[in-house]
Amino acid sequence: MKDSKKDTVKKSMLTACIKLADLGFLAGVGGNLAVRINSELMAVTPSATDYYTMKPDDLCILQIKDLKMVEGTKQPTTESGLHAAFFKLRPEIEVSLHTHQPLASAVSLLGLDMDIESSEGKKNIGNLIRIVPYAPSGTSFLVSAFKNKINKDTNGYLLRNHGLVCGAFTLEQAIANVKLVEKEAARFLRKRIEKNTNLSYMPNSVKEQLLSTL
């Protein structure tokens, strides 16, 4: 890979990270991003680095097959294994994005697959967001659980009690996809609240206030 292309990828990743941080989807040092460079390499964000101060040289270049770092001075994200698994099993995917966005993360606490209703969401993500069973963050157990759920029919996965992993063909589409997921999560939560008879004890004013936040 030529240096000019590598530099372009890094700059694009930094721009995307700032956009996602501004949206509140990459809060503090939470969440991470990976971009496929070629069939063998991927660029990933570093661990424990604020997105607003991140520099091109902070990004890490890893081998997809074994996560060996071939370029970089910082520790790569602990979720590199998730991104590598996505790239291995979905060779057409160019971007793997892990967010801690508020509403999608709230849905992940329910342990349920989340259906997608919008035509745009179905086109770019699939008919549903699949739930991945809980496993500790940054472990081989989580990577294994994630690999067992990956299929060609969906580009979105909820990590139980954790957040979202979304795949895309471009960085722009990845950002659009997680924004779509957040809208779908609001709709999903609103519908469950409205239908939940266990909330019958709740005063209507309180219930309406809760629904208005979604």
Side-chain angles (χ1 to χ4, degrees), residues 53-118:
T53 61
M54 195 178 294
K55 300 177 177 62
D57 289 343
D58 292 332
L59 297 169
C60 308
I61 309 298
L62 309 182
Q63 291 185 166
I64 295 173
K65 67 178 181 180
D66 58 10
L67 304 183
K68 180 180 179 181
M69 188 160 72
V70 299
E71 185 177 320
T73 58
K74 291 200 170 187
Q75 184 75 18
T77 171
T78 58
E79 306 295 8
S80 296
L82 288 177
H83 303 304
F86 214 168
F87 290 150
K88 288 176 186 176
L89 294 175
R90 293 288 305 280
E92 74 279 17
I93 290 294
E94 297 292 325
V95 178
S96 177
L97 173 59
H98 170 45
T99 66
H100 293 169
Q101 56 198 80
L103 299 182
S105 297
V107 175
S108 79
L109 301 176
L110 301 176
L112 301 171
D113 291 341
M114 187 181 83
D115 64 301
I116 299 291
E117 284 193 353
S118 70

Side-chain angles (χ1 to χ4, degrees):
M1 180 183 62
K2 296 180 179 179
D3 287 343
S4 59
K5 181 179 179 182
K6 177 179 65 177
D7 292 342
T8 298
V9 169
K10 287 185 174 183
K11 289 178 181 178
S12 297
M13 288 179 69
L14 294 183
T15 299
C17 285
I18 294 298
K19 289 180 180 179
L20 290 160
D22 286 345
L23 288 167
F25 293 175
L26 297 180
V29 298
N32 36 78
L33 172 65
V35 174
R36 187 196 298 273
I37 293 172
N38 54 39
S39 61
E40 298 180 352
L41 300 175
M42 65 179 181
V44 302
T45 49
S47 179
T49 303
D50 188 276
Y51 293 103
Y52 290 110
T53 61
M54 195 178 294
K55 300 177 177 62
D57 289 343
D58 292 332
L59 297 169
C60 308
I61 309 298
L62 309 182
Q63 291 185 166
I64 295 173
K65 67 178 181 180
D66 58 10
L67 304 183
K68 180 180 179 181
M69 188 160 72
V70 299
E71 185 177 320
T73 58
K74 291 200 170 187
Q75 184 75 18
T77 171
T78 58
E79 306 295 8
S80 296
L82 288 177
H83 303 304
F86 214 168
F87 290 150
K88 288 176 186 176
L89 294 175
R90 293 288 305 280
E92 74 279 17
I93 290 294
E94 297 292 325
V95 178
S96 177
L97 173 59
H98 170 45
T99 66
H100 293 169
Q101 56 198 80
L103 299 182
S105 297
V107 175
S108 79
L109 301 176
L110 301 176
L112 301 171
D113 291 341
M114 187 181 83
D115 64 301
I116 299 291
E117 284 193 353
S118 70
S119 57
E120 185 181 5
K122 288 181 177 180
K123 175 183 176 182
N124 293 303
I125 302 167
N127 290 329
L128 55 78
I129 306 289
R130 306 187 77 192
I131 188 72
V132 177
Y134 174 76
S137 175
T139 66
S140 60
F141 301 106
L142 181 56
V143 173
S144 179
F146 180 54
K147 287 170 65 176
N148 288 336
K149 289 291 183 175
I150 295 174
N151 66 42
K152 62 181 179 61
D153 297 322
T154 182
N155 293 329
Y157 302 84
L158 289 167
L159 307 179
R160 180 75 189 266
N161 301 351
H162 188 163
L164 172 74
V165 176
C166 208
F169 306 113
T170 66
L171 279 165
E172 292 76 14
Q173 190 59 58
I175 294 172
N177 282 356
V178 295
K179 291 170 70 175
L180 275 170
V181 170
E182 198 71 350
K183 290 181 180 179
E184 293 284 352
R187 186 266 314 161
F188 184 81
L189 290 169
R190 187 182 301 113
K191 182 181 291 186
R192 289 188 63 81
I193 290 170
E194 290 172 341
K195 291 184 176 181
N196 192 341
T197 57
N198 291 330
L199 297 180
S200 59
Y201 66 88
M202 183 180 291
N204 286 335
S205 58
V206 175
K207 191 171 182 179
E208 289 171 2
Q209 183 176 7
L210 176 60
L211 291 169
S212 70
T213 65
L214 298 174

